Amino acid sequence: RDTPGDATYLHVPLVGAFLVHVASSCPLANNGSVLDFDFALVFNKNPLVCYEPDARRFTACDWGLLRPYATVLAAILNNGTAWVQRAEARRRACRDLAPRFWSSTALRRTPPQARIISSKTSNTRASVLLTCHVWGFYPAEVTVSWLHNGNVVGPGDHPPTSAIPNGDWTYQTQVTLMVAPTAGDTFACVVQHVSLDKPLLEEWSPGLSPGLTAKVAVATVLMVLGLSFFVVGVYCYRGKPPAPG
């Protein structure tokens, strides 16, 4: 064993960690009604003593080495009324708060948002991949479809993905469509959700090519300059005094 004066000496204290806490829960059915009520004294994550609501008494629920201690503890808790009253108070709170919790969570309606993002592909027949991102909606059931010039089209080579949770009680999904757009085409992502009075419509149209965009910009500048010179010329002409006659 190293001595305290040695540089390699390391003192490691022997500390044991034990935790006893009270845990209560009330599982809910699909319609929000309370299915059951659980109340227990837990020792290091293991239920030690459990409360039986129908009998209004505590029983040992540990079947391991701690069962003798759990039996004694249950008898102590049943000897008075304080812990039974505490458990019943939580049971009433569970019954009273469950409807409000259910209405503010499972029954709420959050409308979705949508955005279309386009990207180039190497496919010569369908050069553009449209991705409709839909997010922020609740509940998870949502229907997403595509329109091409007002007509319903299929999802193409990429089927829609299922809705996945965002971690904040909302969901997201996306649907893709490979297209070969031409001038004048309009594509729309249609989102149907229980929170919407009417379907959400997000539209996309093909933009001009870079070369054509430059030509249009130059033509616009020339047209504005020509119109400016014309206005100035008319103003100067009308402002000249008449010739003596």
Side-chain angles (χ1 to χ4, degrees), residues 119-210:
S119 57
K120 295 291 185 178
T121 69
S122 57
N123 192 325
T124 56
R125 293 191 306 167
S127 58
V128 176
L129 175 65
L130 299 181
T131 303
C132 181
H133 295 273
V134 184
W135 73 95
F137 55 90
Y138 187 91
E141 293 76 18
V142 67
T143 301
V144 184
S145 57
W146 287 100
L147 298 180
H148 177 207
N149 295 334
N151 300 317
V152 179
V153 296
D157 298 332
H158 302 271
T161 59
S162 58
I164 58 176
N166 288 324
D168 59 353
W169 284 77
T170 64
Y171 290 83
Q172 64 171 304
T173 188
Q174 65 180 29
V175 178
T176 57
L177 180 68
M178 297 187 69
V179 298
T182 58
D185 277 347
T186 299
F187 295 89
C189 175
V190 183
V191 182
Q192 294 175 300
H193 191 257
V194 67
S195 64
L196 300 172
D197 295 331
K198 59 181 181 180
L200 175 64
L201 194 68
E202 180 73 9
E203 294 185 341
W204 178 89
S205 297
L208 299 176
S209 63

Side-chain angles (χ1 to χ4, degrees), residues 13-28:
L14 300 178
V15 178
F18 302 97
L19 177 64
V20 178
H21 70 278
V22 175
S24 61
S25 63
C26 45
L28 303 180

Side-chain angles (χ1 to χ4, degrees), residues 12-234:
V12 180
L14 300 178
V15 178
F18 302 97
L19 177 64
V20 178
H21 70 278
V22 175
S24 61
S25 63
C26 45
L28 303 180
N30 290 333
N31 59 0
S33 61
V34 179
L35 290 176
D36 199 359
F37 172 71
D38 300 318
F39 185 95
L41 271 72
V42 182
F43 176 75
N44 283 2
K45 299 183 180 181
N46 296 314
L48 192 64
V49 177
C50 299
Y51 180 71
E52 295 184 358
D54 296 335
R56 295 173 65 93
R57 60 181 289 107
F58 290 91
T59 59
C61 51
D62 184 281
W63 295 92
L65 297 176
L66 297 178
R67 182 164 181 80
Y69 302 97
T71 302
V72 173
L73 181 57
I76 295 174
L77 297 180
N78 290 325
N79 191 34
T81 60
W83 276 92
V84 173
Q85 292 175 355
R86 182 176 181 178
E88 286 297 317
R90 292 205 177 187
R91 185 183 182 186
R92 289 191 299 270
C94 181
R95 180 192 59 205
D96 297 338
L97 295 177
R100 283 186 285 172
F101 172 79
W102 189 257
S103 62
S104 63
T105 54
L107 296 183
R108 83 185 196 284
R109 300 289 183 262
T110 305
Q113 301 181 63
R115 182 183 179 186
I116 296 177
I117 297 178
S118 63
S119 57
K120 295 291 185 178
T121 69
S122 57
N123 192 325
T124 56
R125 293 191 306 167
S127 58
V128 176
L129 175 65
L130 299 181
T131 303
C132 181
H133 295 273
V134 184
W135 73 95
F137 55 90
Y138 187 91
E141 293 76 18
V142 67
T143 301
V144 184
S145 57
W146 287 100
L147 298 180
H148 177 207
N149 295 334
N151 300 317
V152 179
V153 296
D157 298 332
H158 302 271
T161 59
S162 58
I164 58 176
N166 288 324
D168 59 353
W169 284 77
T170 64
Y171 290 83
Q172 64 171 304
T173 188
Q174 65 180 29
V175 178
T176 57
L177 180 68
M178 297 187 69
V179 298
T182 58
D185 277 347
T186 299
F187 295 89
C189 175
V190 183
V191 182
Q192 294 175 300
H193 191 257
V194 67
S195 64
L196 300 172
D197 295 331
K198 59 181 181 180
L200 175 64
L201 194 68
E202 180 73 9
E203 294 185 341
W204 178 89
S205 297
L208 299 176
S209 63
L212 188 56
T213 301
K215 293 180 181 179
V216 171
V218 172
T220 302
V221 171
L222 293 177
M223 182 181 67
V224 171
L225 290 176
L227 184 61
S228 300
F229 284 125
F230 174 76
V231 171
V232 171
V234 171

